[in-house]
Amino acid sequence: MHFDLASGVALHVIPTKQFKMTHVLITFTTSQTRDNATARNLLANLLETSTHRYPTQTALARQLAKLYGAYVGMGVGRVGRLHTVRLRASFVNDQIAGTNLFAQVVDLINEILFHPLIDDNEFDGPTFRIQAHNLRQTITALYDDKQFYANRQLMNLYYPDEAVLRVPSFGRVADLANLTAQNLVPVYQDMVDRDRVDIFVLGDVDPAGVRDEISQLPFSSRAVSSLSPYYQQPPHPAVRRKVEHQPVVQAKLNLGYQLPVYYHDQNYYAGLVFNGLFGGTPYSKLFTNVREKASLAYYATSRLLPFTGFLGVQTGIQAVDAQRVTDLIAQQLAELCAGKFSAEQLAEVQDSLINQYRASHDLANNILGRQLLRALLDLPPETAVTDKINAVTADDVSRVAQLVKMQATYLLSGEK
Amino acid sequence: MDRQTYQEFNRIIYRRRLANGLLVQLLPMPGFQKTYATFSTDFGSIDNHFIPYHEEDPVLVPDGVAHFLEHKMFEKADHDAFDLFGKLGADSNAYTSFTQTSYLFSTTSHLHENLNVLLDFVQDPYFTAQTVQKEQGIIGQEIKMYDDDADWRLYLGLIGNLYPHDPMRIDIAGTVESISQITPEVLMQSYRTFYQPTNMNLFIVGNLDPEETLSWIDQNQGAKNFLPAETPRRLFELNDPTAHDVIPFRSLTMNIARPKVMVGLRGIKQFTDGRARLHYKLAVDLLLDVLFDDTSDNYLRLYNNEVLDDSFGYNFEMQRGFHFAYFSSNTDQMERFADEVVAILESADKQIDAARTRFTGIKRAELGRLIGLLDSPEAIANRYAGQLFDGANLMDEIQALKSITLDDLYQVAADFINPQGISVYQVVPHHQ
């Protein structure tokens, strides 16, 4: 059920008796720029830490504990080129709690979004300093995960130097130095006053009652500009390659390809099935041939990013095998182009994708994620997804495989 | 079939012990599309010392056998069980812990056929020298991958401090060296001892009809012959049950940017009754919340002094025969972090005194978290710990939690917090 609360502010209510918990997702969406990701992530951290009524994180945490340990948290995410600040809340439903928990959580959300700890046009100094410090540490620690590190390095090869998408959705340590308790206030105001806002409520709720409660959040009308998540870049004239040496036990070999298949274009479902056969499922060629048959890798997977036209392969291998693994991956791709896979493999991957799709209806966060995409893209509810997956033919898969263009390779090796 | 109704949550669990000794439990979840099934044996990485089925002499098997067996169960002479699930549209997996091995699938179609695949592949062992050798390569890679994982090294390093002469100190997967000693005979010996139906349980949650599902299981099990049951004879004994062998401190240098520290506390209380053990576990969970959760003054003070940050976490692990808690954070003040955590633990009584007003909120928050798990078929099945908590399921756990009072915490604090059980492990960047 859909309600327009103000211009540019939409409420989507999904009533269901399936869950014991109620879930709320509020997203603030705007185009990502080179500068806004870090600022918006720090802002999300500040907002979820304290408010005027709950001026320390302890005061806020104590209030949440009283609400049956309601979870209310903020973070950032990305849909293609669009940057989102997200507030998520989940809490025991009113029937089990035996009280009007929903109204009390909305009241707390009101505090968090509209009464942040800002005085005289600046965020509270000590809170700002510690959150900025922590965000620096958190981003730094992310790169201690070598799989993550290798993936970021590949992205830096894949995207041209000036591309906005080179900046991760969670931001960069270097940008933190430019942020202050003062200049984050206009970032906040921009977000609450100008961003596109979508509010989703999922659970055993009454839509009219939800609308009445949510209407109390003082969102103002805003200009509705069209936002597109889609990103394209011209192919690189030559494959970009990088080898890096660090004291690691297991080497990471990551490959980046361009695959111009986009969410809900005519090749979308063929692209999903292709990726499932390549490395996106346990029935894929990468899993069975590189990991299982050749024992060359502990993991070997692929993933398709359907808003940016990017296809990535990640593997964990022995550094000495790098060339063999590279050749073997190329061979798997060539076989997909040539239609060398059995009808049985194709059916397995289709069944697996259908199982994943059906099972995703049992997870509140997946339901909300799908609703968010629908809302941002202004698409009607999806229908006959299983039929569309089943309709993909072997020829469709080969046709999509032939669109794949190698763009970048990155190897993190422990050996010199 | 025995049934138990949980009115408050609108859930019914169906239970039956089959003629062969297998315990079957079924929990329908109306409105869900998925069915999630786990088939588990009480056999984990610490069970390396036992008297094999129908034999007289004890054996000491190489580290990592339970996990190796888990990998090898899927592979048969002419097929892989994993592919059978795939052909039936199901996802399957397996995992091994210190004390348990579980095989599982998740499906939205062909439940009957998938159940047969699960029961059949786990009850039909097939090991050859050649397949064992191939697996040594795959698991070797898995072990190496974890070598680069600083958080895993921190955790395993701390357990090595807490139990320096017990099998928990070794990675669940074993070592490259230990798995090289595994043979088909070793696997078969462990299999016969621990994979008897009497030592296993089947837990199915989600989209299912209990009568029909049970009839399928009956049919499958009734058609098979099993060797006479024999209770597994485990010889596991802690090297020092009083925990005086705990190593107080060790540190490891790794290629990372931020230092990590973990403080551990090993408990020494032993239990004979599963429900008493569950009560203790839930009370310790609440005690740790009182001392360290984000509603505590301790947390705010340490956070504001940058002794800990958002990576801070703590957990209590209760297993068959041992239990411990750990507290960890990324921090530039590793010594201070350890000192502060120990000081808070040692002043537990005073901290409980001061928590009278917070306790209702803490308990409600813990209840809310457990109630949230009721929406997840996976969480309900994976959380089930069998004998350990005398068959308690998630709903029983919620009921048990409700009965715990603030005054119970004084007793568990006295039982759990012993100075000789405390240890610290650090993972430090190269340049420091």
Side-chain angles (χ1 to χ4, degrees):
Chain A
M1 224 157 297
H2 179 96
F3 305 96
D4 285 315
L5 299 183
S7 164
V9 182
L11 168 65
H12 316 264
V13 186
I14 310 130
T16 169
K17 295 216 175 285
Q18 191 179 353
F19 302 115
K20 308 289 179 207
M21 304 288 275
T22 304
H23 299 263
V24 176
L25 168 67
I26 302 180
T27 57
F28 297 85
T29 308
T30 190
S31 291
Q32 187 177 330
T33 65
R34 287 184 73 80
D35 302 320
N36 65 1
T38 317
R40 285 160 64 89
N41 193 6
L42 180 55
L43 175 63
N45 279 288
L46 282 169
L47 293 181
E48 71 168 3
T49 301
S50 51
T51 77
H52 260 279
R53 202 193 300 164
Y54 307 105
T56 66
Q57 53 181 330
T58 313
L60 192 58
R62 285 181 183 170
Q63 179 59 18
L64 288 166
K66 283 185 193 147
L67 304 177
Y68 269 89
Y71 167 79
V72 181
M74 295 194 64
V76 293
R78 190 152 74 183
V79 178
R81 294 192 307 130
L82 303 180
H83 196 265
T84 56
V85 173
R86 304 177 183 200
L87 179 144
R88 279 182 192 282
S90 56
F91 44 97
V92 174
N93 71 29
D94 286 7
Q95 289 77 350
I96 289 182
T99 173
N100 62 340
L101 213 46
F102 184 79
Q104 295 175 59
V105 172
V106 172
D107 188 49
L108 185 63
I109 290 174
N110 194 342
E111 268 297 301
I112 289 174
L113 292 180
F114 296 99
H115 304 278
L117 208 46
I118 298 175
D119 286 300
D120 300 328
N121 274 316
E122 61 181 288
F123 275 95
D124 177 61
T127 312
F128 178 88
R129 274 192 296 281
I130 199 153
Q131 289 305 321
H133 174 77
N134 283 348
L135 184 55
R136 174 187 306 274
Q137 305 286 21
T138 303
I139 295 176
T140 306
L142 281 176
Y143 292 87
D144 284 342
D145 175 344
K146 296 304 163 197
Q147 211 169 321
F148 180 90
Y149 174 83
N151 182 49
R152 288 303 323 162
Q153 293 301 112
L154 179 74
M155 289 315 203
N156 285 342
L157 285 176
Y158 178 81
Y159 291 120
D161 294 351
E162 68 289 354
V164 163
L165 288 178
R166 258 192 159 209
V167 181
S169 61
F170 52 83
R172 295 183 296 202
V173 167
D175 296 342
L176 279 168
N178 305 323
L179 298 173
T180 66
Q182 293 84 27
N183 69 17
L184 215 53
V185 173
V187 176
Y188 162 71
Q189 268 151 1
D190 235 32
M191 182 189 89
V192 286
D193 295 338
R194 298 208 180 83
D195 274 13
R196 175 192 168 125
V197 176
D198 291 279
I199 304 165
F200 304 86
V201 177
L202 170 72
D204 192 357
V205 292
D206 159 49
V210 166
R211 185 199 51 204
D212 292 347
E213 290 295 343
I214 296 284
S215 297
Q216 314 210 357
L217 299 176
F219 282 111
S220 53
S221 286
R222 57 214 59 214
V224 192
S225 58
S226 77
L227 292 164
S228 170
Y230 297 108
Y231 168 84
Q232 280 159 326
Q233 69 182 37
H236 298 300
V239 176
R240 296 180 157 198
R241 298 174 198 278
K242 186 172 173 184
V243 178
E244 199 177 347
H245 297 278
Q246 281 187 16
V248 291
V249 179
Q250 189 185 70
K252 314 286 174 199
L253 173 66
N254 288 7
L255 312 177
Y257 307 83
Q258 196 165 68
L259 176 56
V261 165
Y262 290 88
Y263 191 68
H264 277 255
D265 71 9
Q266 79 265 19
N267 283 333
Y268 178 61
Y269 288 98
L272 287 187
V273 175
F274 157 76
N275 181 52
L277 273 166
F278 186 36
T281 66
Y283 314 103
S284 66
K285 283 182 169 284
L286 290 183
F287 189 88
T288 51
N289 295 339
V290 180
R291 184 192 131 118
E292 295 286 303
K293 282 193 192 136
S295 275
L296 279 173
Y298 178 63
Y299 64 90
T301 61
S302 72
R303 68 195 176 116
L304 174 67
L305 302 185
F307 294 102
T308 52
F310 172 85
L311 173 74
V313 168
Q314 302 197 20
T315 68
I317 60 168
Q318 310 258 31
V320 290
D321 295 328
Q323 192 53 51
R324 262 179 84 197
V325 174
T326 308
D327 295 345
L328 205 52
I329 293 170
Q331 189 193 331
Q332 309 311 308
L333 192 54
E335 287 180 6
L336 287 168
C337 288
K340 283 191 193 157
F341 50 90
S342 66
E344 211 174 9
Q345 280 171 309
L346 176 64
E348 260 180 26
V349 165
Q350 285 167 321
D351 284 350
S352 172
L353 293 172
I354 289 167
N355 186 42
Q356 268 174 37
Y357 170 73
R358 286 196 184 131
S360 72
H361 291 87
D362 291 344
L363 289 170
N365 280 340
N366 281 356
I367 298 172
L368 293 173
R370 203 161 35 229
Q371 294 277 343
L372 172 62
L373 291 186
R374 297 262 126 204
L376 288 180
L377 297 166
D378 199 20
L379 290 169
E382 56 196 331
T383 52
V385 169
T386 56
D387 292 344
K388 286 173 190 162
I389 293 172
N390 278 328
V392 174
T393 64
D395 284 347
D396 294 336
V397 171
S398 301
R399 199 164 35 75
V400 166
Q402 287 160 22
L403 300 176
V404 173
K405 272 194 210 84
M406 165 85 90
Q407 297 287 287
T409 75
Y410 172 79
L411 175 66
L412 178 65
S413 166
E415 288 161 33
K416 288 253 178 193
Chain B
M1 194 159 38
D2 168 38
R3 55 184 277 173
Q4 191 172 349
T5 305
Y6 298 86
Q7 207 82 52
E8 186 188 355
F9 306 117
N10 195 20
R11 292 276 183 259
I12 304 172
I13 190 158
Y14 299 82
R15 214 179 275 125
R16 167 115 139 247
R17 196 173 279 283
L18 305 185
N20 66 10
L22 176 66
L23 177 64
V24 178
Q25 299 186 86
L26 308 170
L27 178 66
M29 286 173 67
F32 279 69
Q33 308 223 7
K34 173 196 295 179
T35 317
Y36 181 78
T38 60
F39 191 21
S40 307
T41 163
D42 282 332
F43 177 50
S45 67
I46 68 165
D47 299 311
N48 63 347
H49 193 198
F50 57 90
I51 300 173
Y53 181 83
H54 264 11
E55 290 182 32
E56 300 298 323
D57 299 325
V59 294
L60 191 64
V61 297
D63 291 317
V65 164
H67 174 259
F68 203 98
L69 191 54
E70 170 220 307
H71 272 231
K72 268 327 343 138
M73 284 311 300
F74 284 89
E75 191 172 341
K76 306 301 177 199
D78 56 352
H79 70 275
D80 195 303
F82 195 77
D83 295 332
L84 298 186
F85 285 116
K87 288 188 176 62
L88 293 164
D91 282 336
S92 67
N93 212 334
Y95 61 87
T96 307
S97 72
F98 289 122
T99 55
Q100 187 178 311
T101 311
S102 289
Y103 301 86
L104 58 94
F105 72 81
S106 154
T107 192
T108 53
S109 64
H110 307 296
L111 177 58
H112 185 184
E113 293 88 338
N114 280 305
L115 257 179
N116 280 336
V117 172
L118 177 68
L119 292 167
D120 292 350
F121 96 83
V122 177
Q123 292 182 333
D124 177 27
Y126 170 80
F127 314 119
T128 69
Q130 190 205 348
T131 60
V132 165
Q133 194 188 358
K134 199 196 79 180
E135 202 66 28
Q136 283 160 343
I138 293 175
I139 297 180
Q141 278 287 325
E142 183 175 347
I143 293 169
K144 280 191 189 142
M145 185 170 73
Y146 283 114
D147 280 349
D148 285 335
D149 182 335
D151 288 314
W152 180 246
R153 298 290 295 272
L154 181 71
Y155 174 75
L156 206 63
L158 179 82
I159 295 177
N161 279 4
L162 294 178
Y163 301 96
H165 306 292
D166 297 307
M168 295 79 89
R169 76 184 188 282
I170 309 285
D171 192 321
I172 287 163
T175 63
V176 173
E177 211 283 305
S178 75
I179 61 170
S180 72
Q181 297 160 23
I182 292 176
T183 63
E185 293 70 34
V186 167
L187 294 177
M188 195 49 111
Q189 195 175 46
S190 300
Y191 180 86
R192 265 198 226 103
T193 309
F194 293 103
Y195 280 65
Q196 308 175 61
T198 45
N199 196 46
M200 300 193 70
N201 80 81
L202 179 64
F203 202 128
I204 313 179
V205 189
N207 182 7
L208 66 91
D209 175 295
E211 302 289 340
E212 189 183 39
T213 307
L214 185 70
S215 75
W216 294 336
I217 298 164
D218 256 336
Q219 210 175 21
N220 178 291
Q221 294 296 281
K224 291 177 185 168
N225 294 315
F226 296 93
L227 294 169
E230 181 185 286
T231 308
R233 289 163 291 172
R234 297 184 182 85
L235 300 171
F236 174 81
E237 263 180 19
L238 287 167
N239 170 64
D240 179 358
T242 67
H244 282 91
D245 58 351
V246 168
I247 300 170
F249 176 81
R250 279 188 305 163
S251 150
L252 171 76
T253 303
M254 277 186 80
N255 170 34
I256 55 168
R258 287 215 73 200
K260 295 173 188 289
V261 58
M262 192 177 268
V263 176
L265 172 60
R266 169 177 162 187
I268 53 174
K269 193 176 165 67
Q270 292 292 331
F271 300 88
T272 46
D273 176 64
R275 293 294 162 129
R277 189 184 280 121
L278 177 61
H279 183 273
Y280 181 81
K281 182 214 177 263
L282 294 169
V284 172
D285 283 341
L286 288 174
L287 171 66
L288 299 186
D289 289 343
V290 163
L291 302 182
F292 296 103
D293 85 357
D294 59 0
T295 71
S296 69
D297 293 333
N298 292 327
Y299 179 84
L300 185 65
R301 180 173 55 83
L302 298 176
Y303 191 95
N304 285 341
N305 287 308
E306 294 173 16
V307 177
L308 54 79
D309 64 15
D310 294 312
S311 67
F312 175 69
Y314 57 89
N315 196 17
F316 178 59
E317 286 196 24
M318 173 62 96
Q319 303 263 4
R320 175 179 10 98
F322 64 101
H323 61 272
F324 59 94
Y326 57 86
F327 314 84
S328 68
S329 188
N330 299 342
T331 175
D332 294 325
Q333 305 179 57
M334 290 187 287
E335 287 81 11
R336 174 140 181 229
F337 176 87
D339 291 346
E340 294 275 7
V341 168
V342 172
I344 292 167
L345 288 170
E346 287 180 341
S347 62
D349 276 7
K350 252 190 267 165
Q351 311 269 350
I352 301 168
D353 290 343
R356 295 249 155 222
T357 54
R358 277 170 57 222
F359 185 69
T360 315
I362 288 172
K363 192 168 143 183
R364 248 195 228 171
E366 197 69 52
L367 277 171
R369 273 192 285 277
L370 291 188
I371 291 169
L373 298 181
L374 287 170
D375 284 341
S376 162
E378 291 88 344
I380 295 171
N382 294 347
R383 206 174 167 87
Y384 177 71
Q387 286 296 310
L388 185 68
F389 299 136
D390 189 27
N393 59 47
L394 178 57
M395 286 81 76
D396 298 323
E397 223 182 304
I398 294 171
Q399 308 294 5
L401 177 61
K402 285 184 179 165
S403 74
I404 294 172
T405 65
L406 183 69
D407 290 328
D408 292 336
L409 304 194
Y410 292 102
Q411 186 58 49
V412 295
D415 286 338
F416 183 42
I417 303 170
N418 296 287
Q420 79 271 18
I422 293 173
S423 175
V424 179
Y425 197 88
Q426 300 175 343
V427 178
V428 188
H430 277 306
H431 55 81
Q432 289 212 337

